[in-house]
Amino acid sequence: MIELPTDLPADLAPLSWLLGVWEGTGVIEYTAGEQRYQGEFSHRVSFSHDGGAFLNYAASASFLGAEGTDEPVDLLAETGFWRLARPRTDADPGPALLPPTAESTPRTADDVEALRTDDGFPLEVSVTHSDGTLELYLGRIAGPRIDIATDAVVRPAGTKAYSAATRMYGLVDAHLLWAWDITALGEKLKSHASARLAKV
């Protein structure tokens, strides 16, 4: 049973089912050249809010390895923000620390509904990886399904080749299911990981 809070900003209503901490395991299956990556990983994802019109996102994963592996290996930590995509107005702060130049009024359910298209609500997701890689995803949320694809990937010079990704999330039988496809290590876009997470 998913319980939705009633005190959220209107812009978070379509995203509200994500709120909470989700944990579980997943599978890695990826081949790059002669190297094959395969095994199980543990995954923890947190979506929270602090009153703004966005969700705070944090995730971590550890490789549990193939059968017979003793110690988990930390793979990745991510942090970021999820929000509905909408044009910013003079009533919004920014860029940087610039304050709004017009009076702000709380956004309503009608304001949010005006963003809806035939295939859901437009979504922006910014993610920073622990290795310094930055991703900007654009996509859609339609009820309990989210599809996003990178609009930009920025990475430090010393990181491994990684240039694009797509992610899919879905709420199925009260579990968060997700799949992550990547363009990396000289390969074209293809599947590399998926997981099933339960709310804790």
Side-chain angles (χ1 to χ4, degrees):
M1 178 81 154
I2 302 293
E3 293 185 17
L4 302 179
T6 58
D7 61 343
L8 292 177
D11 282 290
L12 293 186
L15 298 164
S16 60
W17 60 267
L18 287 167
L19 282 165
V21 176
W22 305 80
E23 291 183 348
T25 59
V27 176
I28 297 166
E29 179 72 45
Y30 194 74
T31 302
E34 299 298 316
Q35 180 68 50
R36 185 176 185 196
Y37 303 87
Q38 185 177 16
E40 189 177 9
F41 66 99
S42 64
H43 196 45
R44 184 177 194 274
V45 175
S46 170
F47 292 94
S48 62
H49 78 100
D50 53 16
F54 55 86
L55 292 183
N56 301 302
Y57 166 78
S60 60
S62 295
F63 188 56
L64 303 176
E67 194 172 325
T69 302
D70 292 332
E71 294 294 324
V73 176
D74 291 339
L75 293 175
L76 177 69
E78 299 178 320
T79 186
F81 302 96
W82 293 52
R83 70 176 73 239
L84 292 186
R86 67 170 178 84
R88 298 300 183 255
T89 70
D90 290 342
D92 293 301
L97 295 177
L98 299 181
T101 57
E103 185 176 349
S104 176
T105 57
R107 286 175 51 77
T108 67
D110 288 339
D111 294 327
V112 174
E113 190 59 31
L115 299 174
R116 186 194 295 268
T117 65
D118 290 341
D119 56 353
F121 293 94
L123 189 62
E124 298 171 345
V125 176
S126 57
V127 175
T128 302
H129 295 212
S130 50
D131 68 0
T133 299
L134 310 172
E135 297 172 305
L136 173 63
Y137 287 91
L138 302 179
R140 296 280 173 193
I141 178 166
R145 181 179 170 122
I146 296 168
D147 292 280
I148 54 177
T150 49
D151 184 60
V153 175
V154 180
R155 58 187 178 86
T159 58
K160 297 177 182 178
Y162 174 63
S163 58
T166 63
R167 301 191 194 197
M168 186 278 297
Y169 297 80
L171 184 64
V172 179
D173 295 330
H175 285 78
L176 180 63
L177 276 60
W178 68 258
W180 188 1
D181 296 357
I182 61 173
T183 301
L185 305 178
E187 299 293 321
K188 295 181 179 179
L189 183 70
K190 62 183 180 180
S191 174
H192 102 286
S194 60
R196 179 183 179 94
L197 311 177
K199 189 170 276 192
V200 297

